[in-house]
Amino acid sequence: MDDELHSGLDDLIHLADPPGTSGHVVALRVLKRPDPGSEFLDCEFTVSTETITGGFPVGITSFDLDRWEEALDGLAGARFVSWLDSGRTVRLRIKPLPSRAIGVTVSDDPSSQVTVSLPMSPPVGWIEDHRARLVKARQLLAG
């Protein structure tokens, strides 16, 4: 993807291990600004580990953003969450683990049937950071 195209667009989700650790990254990239009147944000889940890198396209709606807000509320309460459970697209699951770690699973069941699960240690404040990302994504979708 062209960096200039992505310039100014924030990832809706960006989970990354601290530098010097495993290097795991799970992100939901907003690929472009939506066309006027569009009900979808064109996005791509990207997963990177020491041994694999993959991408899964997904369209995100305002309904999905509302469910992501609910998921963030659940994560703030240290609860397991599952997001994008329609069965038509990639699904994201996040499970709190001991010592502020999380288990992240990205499943592309309807298309490639690939599932990637990995432990991660997001930085302090990652949920608040994702709430701010959510606000920006809603602004993009609203035009």
Side-chain angles (χ1 to χ4, degrees):
M1 174 178 24
D2 188 324
D3 287 337
E4 185 177 318
L5 174 67
H6 194 260
S7 179
L9 299 178
D10 285 335
D11 294 344
L12 173 58
I13 297 172
H14 188 89
L15 299 169
D17 278 331
T21 61
S22 70
H24 295 163
V25 177
V26 173
L28 180 58
R29 298 206 136 190
V30 177
L31 298 177
K32 65 179 183 125
R33 296 186 184 284
D35 294 328
S38 175
E39 297 180 11
F40 293 92
L41 278 177
D42 289 325
C43 298
E44 178 183 41
F45 267 107
T46 58
V47 178
S48 298
T49 72
E50 308 86 1
T51 55
I52 65 160
T53 299
F56 309 95
V58 62
I60 300 297
T61 66
S62 60
F63 176 82
D64 297 326
L65 295 177
D66 291 345
R67 300 297 76 77
W68 179 235
E69 183 175 26
E70 291 172 6
L72 290 171
D73 291 344
L75 290 165
R79 292 187 304 272
F80 169 85
V81 301
S82 186
W83 183 57
L84 297 176
D85 289 326
S86 69
R88 296 176 307 207
T89 188
V90 176
R91 177 175 50 170
L92 174 70
R93 292 174 295 194
I94 302 175
K95 177 182 179 181
L97 301 172
S99 302
R100 292 188 323 105
I102 56 175
V104 179
T105 301
V106 177
S107 301
D108 184 32
D109 297 331
S111 183
S112 67
Q113 299 183 3
V114 169
T115 297
V116 179
S117 296
L118 48 142
M120 301 187 78
S121 297
V124 172
W126 73 273
I127 294 173
E128 292 79 14
D129 172 59
H130 281 79
R131 289 187 194 282
R133 292 171 183 277
L134 175 60
V135 168
K136 290 179 181 179
R138 282 188 166 135
Q139 290 170 343
L140 275 175
L141 196 53

